[in-house]
Amino acid sequence: MAEQPQAEQDFSKLSLDEKLAHKVWKARLQGYEEATKLFKRLDEDSSEFSKFAGKVKKFVIESNAMAQERGVEATLAFVELAAPGTAAKTCGDVVAGVVTKCLNARAKTKEAGINVCLMFVEIEQQEVVQEEILK
C-alpha cells in the first residue's frame, strides 16, 4: 500500500499554497482554515496579503460546499483585515464569484458571501459591488 486512501491522507505537511491548489477538497478546506488563521495574525500592511490577492477570488468559487464555506470565511477575513487598497484590488472578481456561487448556496455560505460584499462597500468599493450584482 504505497498510497493512502483519500480519507486517510495527511495534508498537514503540505505548504499553504499547495493546500489551496490541491485537487482534493479536504486539503483545500484545511488550506482555507489555515489562511483564515494567517490573515488574523498579520498586520494590515503585511506583504503577505498581496501574495493572496490573486488567490482569494478562487476561494469563493470552490466546487465543494463544505470547503466553499471555509473559503468564503477566509475571503471575509482577507477583506476585513488587509489594507483597504489591497482588498480593493480583488473586489470585482470576488463579488462576481459571490454572486455566481454563494448567493444560491448553503445559508451560512450565503450569509458570509453577503458579508463579503458589505465589507467591500465599507472599504469604499460600492460602485464595483453594485456593478457586479447588477450584471
Side-chain angles (χ1 to χ4, degrees):
M1 284 182 34
E3 194 169 318
Q4 295 176 324
Q6 283 186 0
E8 297 175 22
Q9 284 184 336
D10 180 20
F11 303 111
S12 62
K13 293 180 177 91
L14 298 175
S15 71
L16 179 55
D17 287 338
E18 290 173 322
K19 288 177 188 175
L20 293 173
H22 206 280
K23 64 180 183 177
V24 178
W25 71 268
K26 289 180 181 181
R28 293 191 307 273
L29 178 94
Q30 286 182 12
Y32 299 142
E33 290 171 346
E34 196 174 309
T36 302
K37 290 176 188 171
L38 174 66
F39 297 154
K40 290 179 179 180
R41 286 192 314 253
L42 295 174
D43 181 55
E44 90 170 13
D45 296 321
S46 174
S47 64
E48 282 292 306
F49 281 115
S50 297
K51 294 177 186 176
F52 286 94
K55 298 174 186 169
V56 78
K57 62 186 174 187
K58 295 179 183 174
F59 293 7
V60 296
I61 58 170
E62 167 66 46
S63 59
N64 179 277
M66 288 179 65
Q68 181 189 30
E69 192 173 297
R70 296 293 186 271
V72 176
E73 289 170 4
T75 303
L76 181 58
F78 178 88
V79 177
E80 285 178 338
L81 301 169
T86 303
K89 292 176 188 174
T90 66
C91 185
D93 292 330
V94 170
V95 174
V98 166
V99 169
T100 305
K101 297 276 288 193
C102 298
L103 297 183
N104 59 354
R106 296 172 159 192
K108 191 171 178 183
T109 304
K110 180 179 179 179
E111 182 180 339
I114 291 169
N115 287 336
V116 168
C117 293
L118 292 174
M119 275 306 302
F120 278 121
V121 170
E122 196 170 309
I123 63 167
E124 306 296 326
Q125 294 299 309
Q126 59 272 12
E127 292 89 8
V128 178
V129 171
Q130 182 178 8
E131 180 181 318
E132 291 299 330
I133 290 174
L134 294 176
K135 277 186 180 177

